[in-house]
Amino acid sequence: MADAQPLNHPPTTGTTAQTIIAECDVKLERYRAALDAGADPAVVTAWIAQTQAERTHAEAELRAIAGATPRRMTRAEITALVTALGDITTVLRDADPADKAEVYRQLGLRLNYQPDTQTVRAEVDLSAHRGVMVCVRGGT
């Protein structure tokens, strides 16, 4: 599952925002040193306010990028997700009937009861759920 995910392509605007944040941090340290050296607090306070506004804007840009950019899950995250799901057969067996029906509907599951033989024929159309085909153990 980890190998089937698309590669991460960090957006260049995120790099720009990170650079701005780093530059703002350097400026804020210099302003603090200027205050410690006896600079006029009113002047330095204006500089600090402007720099903090720039930094806040860059942080907001990074958060927006992070929310809009898909991220690859790590192997540990995938393992934790699968473990958290547990035994799917037991989960479905014990699920609320309406929830089960919704899962089956999304999977495209059709059940046809044959009264003569008292059997149920199950059909699933997996074409909508087909992803990239990969070999689990390499080529055979």
Side-chain angles (χ1 to χ4, degrees):
M1 286 176 69
D3 293 338
Q5 299 177 86
L7 297 175
N8 281 336
H9 294 291
T12 56
T13 53
T15 305
T16 303
Q18 290 170 337
T19 301
I20 291 170
I21 290 170
E23 290 171 356
C24 287
D25 289 344
V26 170
K27 286 181 183 179
L28 290 170
E29 283 298 316
R30 282 195 312 236
Y31 300 157
R32 182 177 181 178
L35 279 174
D36 290 344
D40 182 4
V43 173
V44 176
T45 301
W47 296 343
I48 290 172
Q50 180 181 359
T51 303
Q52 286 178 329
E54 288 176 32
R55 190 179 196 289
T56 301
H57 179 75
E59 287 175 336
E61 186 178 325
L62 271 181
R63 281 192 299 277
I65 291 168
T69 305
R71 181 184 67 78
R72 286 177 59 99
M73 293 177 69
T74 64
R75 291 184 186 278
E77 289 171 327
I78 292 170
T79 301
L81 177 64
V82 171
T83 301
L85 289 174
D87 179 14
I88 194 70
T89 306
T90 303
V91 171
L92 284 173
R93 183 190 68 221
D94 298 339
D96 178 79
D99 293 337
K100 263 192 251 192
E102 179 61 20
V103 169
Y104 296 154
R105 185 193 65 72
Q106 289 183 14
L107 288 173
L109 176 66
R110 287 189 309 259
L111 300 174
N112 295 313
Y113 178 66
Q114 305 296 324
D116 298 338
T117 58
Q118 294 185 345
T119 57
V120 175
R121 178 182 168 97
E123 295 177 10
V124 178
D125 179 12
L126 298 177
S127 62
H129 304 285
R130 191 167 293 146
V132 178
M133 301 298 286
V134 294
C135 296
V136 176
R137 294 188 181 144
T140 53

